[in-house]
């Protein structure tokens, strides 16, 4: 009975995602993707990658032990939310040639906190952790994104937006390396948690560095155009959302087979 219910729920969830995807594609009749629109093509490729990753994570949650399900589901939420935003961003780009900054930041505003919550969730899956970790990382991510958005949208000086954004990011790095989150990880004594936590931390350090670099070239030095900035952000999202989820999934699988 329960299994039947879960199956039905899953089918419904996929149908809803497919419907949303189809409806956002309705305008495509007005402007199809041009064969030489490589930025548009990158939006399409990444949309499909996000969809595939979402299906994968949602189905895999059934294969991990209970305390890991939440983490794997959240990985699926991140790529699912990004999938929908990518459908919209692709439409804005293909039909108007404009940079879809608003959609991008709305996506980040939801997915970045969800990803950072993963640090808390994977810790909580193996040991008791103070909820303060969760709140501090959340606030850091909001400061980072509000600063970046205000700068990109021209509400404040681009340099000021960058400084505020950097402060938020550096605070997050502090928390996961030297703060309570980092210390909790070190104390856990769980090998696959330590491996996963360290890999996620590398993504937040190296993978995430692509965004401020894109911002610097796009808004501060004026070295690149809107095309390149979109491709840079797109590639970064692809790695940082899908690889991030895969690391969590593999940690969950490793801990589940050992019934840790
Ligand atoms: C899935 C989306 C992700 C992981 C987006 C991450 C975005 C950032 C790490 C953005 C960082 C920024 C700074 C550190 C300073 C300048 C402004 C931002 C917002 C581009």
């Amino acid at each position: 009975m329960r299994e039947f219910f879960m199956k039905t729920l899953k089918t419904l969830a996929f149908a809803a995602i497919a419907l949303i995807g189809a409806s956002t594609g309705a305008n495509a009749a007005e402007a199809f993707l041009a064969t030489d629109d490589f930025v548009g093509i990158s939006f399409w490729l990444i949309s499909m990658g996000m969809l595939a990753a979402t299906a994968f994570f949602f189905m895999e949650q059934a294969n991990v032990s209970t305390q890991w399900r939440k983490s794997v589901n959240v990985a699926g939420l991140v790529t699912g939310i990004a999938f929908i935003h990518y459908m919209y961003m692709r439409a804005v780009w293909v039909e108007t040639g404009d940079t879809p900054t608003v959609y991008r930041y709305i996506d980040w505003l939801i997915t970045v906190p969800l990803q950072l919550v993963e640090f808390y969730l994977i810790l909580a899956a193996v040991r008791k952790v103070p909820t303060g970790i969760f709140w501090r990382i959340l606030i850091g991510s909001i400061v980072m994104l509000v600063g970046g958005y205000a700068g990109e949208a021209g509400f404040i000086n681009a340099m000021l937006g960058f400084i505020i954004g950097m402060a938020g990011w550096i605070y997050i790095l502090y928390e996961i390396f030297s703060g309570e989150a980092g210390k909790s990880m070190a104390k856990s004594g769980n090998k696959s948690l330590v491996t996963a936590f360290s890999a996620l931390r590398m993504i937040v350090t190296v993978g995430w560095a692509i965004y401020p670099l894109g911002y610097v070239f796009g808004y501060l030095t004026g070295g690149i155009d809107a095309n390149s900035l979109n491709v840079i952000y797109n590639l970064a999202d692809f790695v940082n959302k899908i690889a991030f989820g895969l690391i969590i999934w593999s940690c969950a699988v490793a801990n589940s087979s050992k019934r840790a």
Side-chain angles (χ1 to χ4, degrees):
M1 187 58 206
R2 188 174 169 272
E3 207 169 309
F4 173 75
F5 176 73
M6 287 307 289
K7 267 203 185 124
T8 317
L9 198 67
K10 233 185 273 173
T11 316
L12 279 177
F14 282 132
I17 291 174
L19 261 181
I20 296 166
S23 63
T24 61
N27 296 338
E30 289 163 356
F32 289 106
L33 183 61
T35 47
D36 60 352
D37 179 359
F38 295 109
V39 184
I41 292 172
S42 77
F43 275 112
W44 267 106
L45 283 173
I46 290 161
S47 316
M48 294 308 116
M50 294 292 179
L51 176 64
T54 305
F56 178 78
F57 292 135
F58 282 160
M59 287 187 289
E60 279 300 310
Q61 59 86 26
N63 296 330
V64 300
S65 53
T66 344
Q67 75 269 31
W68 285 98
R69 287 212 176 123
K70 217 180 282 160
S71 318
V72 175
N73 275 331
V74 170
L77 285 180
V78 166
T79 52
I81 292 165
F83 163 63
I84 293 170
H85 283 110
Y86 263 88
M87 296 300 283
Y88 278 96
M89 292 201 281
R90 183 267 304 151
V92 171
W93 178 266
V94 168
E95 288 168 34
T96 68
D98 291 337
T99 294
T101 307
V102 186
Y103 289 108
R104 203 180 278 291
Y105 271 86
I106 293 175
D107 177 76
W108 289 356
L109 194 63
I110 304 169
T111 56
V112 168
L114 278 175
Q115 289 193 290
L116 289 170
V117 161
E118 293 279 31
F119 282 101
Y120 173 76
L121 288 179
I122 64 171
L123 283 174
V126 299
R127 69 194 305 264
K128 262 203 153 28
V129 274
T131 48
I133 294 179
F134 168 89
W135 291 108
R136 284 195 301 272
I137 301 183
L138 186 72
I139 291 167
S141 65
I142 291 170
V143 169
M144 176 180 86
L145 294 172
V146 169
Y149 183 69
E152 289 205 38
F155 298 147
I156 58 172
N157 173 278
M159 190 61 184
L160 179 62
F162 181 74
I163 293 170
I164 298 173
M166 286 300 287
W169 181 43
I170 290 168
Y171 180 72
I172 295 167
L173 290 176
Y174 164 77
E175 180 63 38
I176 57 181
F177 277 93
S178 329
E180 219 172 354
K183 285 186 196 133
S184 277
M185 181 276 287
K187 276 189 275 180
S188 75
N190 180 312
K191 204 160 154 267
S192 43
L193 172 79
V194 172
T195 311
F197 196 99
S198 315
L200 294 181
R201 215 156 53 174
M202 282 319 283
I203 288 198
V204 173
T205 314
V206 182
W208 285 23
I210 303 170
Y211 301 98
L213 280 176
Y215 185 104
V216 166
F217 292 129
Y219 296 96
L220 300 181
T221 64
I224 55 169
D225 55 12
N227 283 18
S228 319
L229 185 61
N230 274 295
V231 171
I232 291 175
Y233 279 169
N234 286 359
L235 283 177
D237 275 358
F238 188 77
V239 173
N240 291 324
K241 289 188 166 63
I242 298 178
F244 195 92
L246 286 172
I247 292 169
I248 291 159
W249 164 79
S250 66
C251 177
V253 169
N255 268 279
S256 301
S257 51
K258 274 184 278 165
R259 295 270 170 257

